[in-house]
Amino acid sequence: QVQLVESGGGLVQPGGSLRLSCAASGSIFRMHTMGWYRQAPGKQRELVAAIASGGSTNYAEAVKGRFTISRDNAKNTVYLQMNSLKPEDTAVYYCKSSYYSSEYWGQGTQVTVSS
């Protein structure tokens, strides 16, 4: 069993930055693919960014060049650095851990981009 706890969300003005963190329990974190997803009101949950155990990354087109996903295996933590935030980035952001057929989700953290 893996438990994920997100933090770092909040209210930020357009053009601002936030860094989300997702701390994971478990000793094999380094073998998991980690992802950040988001869900805006009335919309489906969508992938924002993912990072594999080997460090390769992929991003949604909407966030390329603005968001950066990274991981610190020594701290069992994955990060999402979000720059140049836009109102359309407003959503609940969720952390997901994947290992073979197992998936685990965090409880989510709210990000609101508004002036």
Side-chain angles (χ1 to χ4, degrees):
Q1 189 76 10
V2 174
Q3 291 186 328
L4 304 172
V5 179
E6 301 105 330
S7 61
L11 173 64
V12 63
Q13 292 187 341
S17 298
L18 282 175
R19 188 176 83 153
L20 305 182
S21 300
C22 173
S25 64
S27 61
I28 57 171
F29 170 82
R30 59 183 171 81
M31 300 174 69
H32 289 219
T33 293
M34 302 299 297
W36 285 99
Y37 290 70
R38 66 186 180 187
Q39 187 166 19
K43 295 188 176 181
Q44 289 189 330
R45 192 172 298 189
E46 62 178 2
L47 174 68
V48 175
I51 183 166
S53 58
S56 60
T57 58
N58 66 287
Y59 295 91
E61 283 297 324
V63 307
K64 280 183 179 179
R66 300 188 297 123
F67 291 10
T68 302
I69 189 170
S70 61
R71 65 192 298 161
D72 185 337
N73 290 336
K75 296 182 178 180
N76 278 16
T77 301
V78 64
Y79 304 98
L80 185 68
Q81 178 66 44
M82 305 186 294
N83 299 328
S84 302
L85 283 160
K86 305 175 181 180
E88 51 263 44
D89 294 318
T90 295
V92 178
Y93 283 69
Y94 297 91
C95 176
K96 176 185 164 184
S97 171
S98 303
Y99 182 63
Y100 287 101
S101 60
S102 297
E103 292 183 351
Y104 305 93
W105 291 89
Q107 81 288 351
T109 185
Q110 176 71 45
V111 172
T112 302
V113 185
S114 175
S115 55

